[in-house]
Amino acid sequence: MDLPRSFTIRESSHRIHNPLTSQKLAILGEALGPSPGTRILDLACGSGELLCTWARDHGITGTGVDISTAFLAKARARAIELEVAEQVTFTHGDASDHVADDLVDIGSCVGATWIGGGVAGTVDLLRRSLRPGGVMLIGEPYWRKDPPDQATVEGCHAASADDFRALPELLEQFGELGCDVVEMVLADQDGWDRYVAAQWLNTRRWLDANPDDELAEQMRAELTAGPVRHVRYQREYLGWGVFALMNR
């Protein structure tokens, strides 16, 4: 059980596996202001940057769950680097059915709502681990502008325009699920650039080092098409944000 190798090639240098910059991740932590000892469950935690930096900056404790052995190794190394290894733990597993043994103060799924089959299922999954009065964090794309055609939809890694909502409709969906939106931090185009452009350099360096690998043809095709697709479609049409929710 692991991520396809192409994912770890593209994002081998990433600490944050979404378009939220480290500065905006810190802003989110400052906005929520978790007190020391706050317990967090981070599903699909990637390389653990949220847990590790918030443990350092706010004294939280927590558990991250992810399917990627490569990213979890980075998360554990990051915890040691930031001297928070006694505060956070990382578990290899399928986050789609993970429920905390003890209820947590913050339940997070930042950019991987496919683990619950979408926003509604992910909110339901996080609720199962959340104490009364706790906060859920959902990271999710939204349309910045209506996609004019199917090429734009597919250029934003969607199958249908219905895969994402406009920002007002996304916030309305949270309300329909019985949640109050109590905070949000939105990525910007620079955040998209930092996330996506770093993948191009990772891919090129990997191709130079592994020209005969079985994935080389696929990764070369991605690198050839990726920069233009990003600036033509994703950068212009797709937004992304982290939304803090509380049950009504």
Side-chain angles (χ1 to χ4, degrees):
M1 180 173 57
D2 213 328
L3 277 179
R5 196 158 54 99
S6 57
F7 281 80
T8 56
I9 292 169
R10 291 185 205 102
E11 303 193 15
S12 59
S13 70
H14 289 53
R15 286 180 174 167
I16 301 173
H17 300 276
N18 58 63
L20 206 69
T21 63
S22 57
Q23 293 82 5
K24 292 209 170 187
L25 181 62
I27 287 170
L28 179 62
E30 292 167 3
L32 295 176
S35 58
T38 294
R39 293 169 297 167
I40 298 180
L41 173 66
D42 191 10
L43 299 182
C45 67
S47 296
E49 192 72 357
L50 184 153
L51 285 174
C52 290
T53 57
W54 288 14
R56 176 196 63 193
D57 298 340
H58 302 284
I60 64 94
T61 64
T63 299
V65 181
D66 203 275
I67 199 172
S68 171
T69 54
F71 294 160
L72 288 175
K74 291 178 63 178
R76 296 183 181 111
R78 183 67 163 154
I80 293 170
E81 176 190 355
L82 298 185
E83 301 181 343
V84 295
E86 294 185 358
Q87 296 168 241
V88 295
T89 59
F90 296 97
T91 299
H92 179 241
D94 184 356
S96 66
D97 59 2
H98 187 94
V99 178
D101 293 332
D102 299 308
L103 297 182
V104 299
D105 304 295
I106 298 175
S108 174
C109 179
V110 179
T113 56
W114 58 81
I115 68 169
V119 169
T122 303
V123 167
D124 182 64
L125 176 62
L126 291 174
R127 277 178 167 146
R128 296 164 62 191
S129 296
L130 197 68
R131 68 162 179 81
V135 174
M136 291 175 278
L137 300 178
I138 297 285
E140 183 71 2
Y142 58 88
W143 292 119
R144 293 181 64 239
K145 298 187 288 188
D146 289 336
D149 50 37
Q150 185 62 19
T152 303
V153 170
E154 294 176 4
C156 294
H157 303 284
S160 163
D162 294 334
D163 287 353
F164 308 129
R165 303 184 182 211
L167 184 58
E169 285 70 39
L170 178 58
L171 268 61
E172 287 177 347
Q173 182 185 19
F174 294 140
E176 292 164 0
L177 295 171
C179 298
D180 288 322
V181 179
V182 297
E183 185 56 86
M184 69 179 187
V185 174
L186 304 182
D188 55 22
Q189 289 177 309
D190 181 64
W192 271 122
D193 294 344
R194 299 282 47 78
Y195 173 53
V196 177
Q199 297 178 30
W200 309 334
L201 184 57
N202 292 338
T203 299
R204 175 53 195 265
R205 285 174 170 166
W206 181 87
L207 282 167
D208 288 347
N210 300 274
D212 299 320
D213 191 278
E214 62 182 2
L215 287 180
E217 183 177 356
Q218 172 192 331
M219 302 308 292
R220 161 43 62 189
E222 288 186 9
L223 179 57
T224 300
V228 172
R229 182 175 65 184
H230 169 63
V231 298
R232 178 172 288 157
Y233 300 123
Q234 185 168 282
R235 191 179 195 274
E236 295 300 314
Y237 288 92
L238 197 61
W240 197 92
V242 182
F243 305 91
L245 316 174
M246 296 180 69
N247 288 319
R248 289 178 178 165

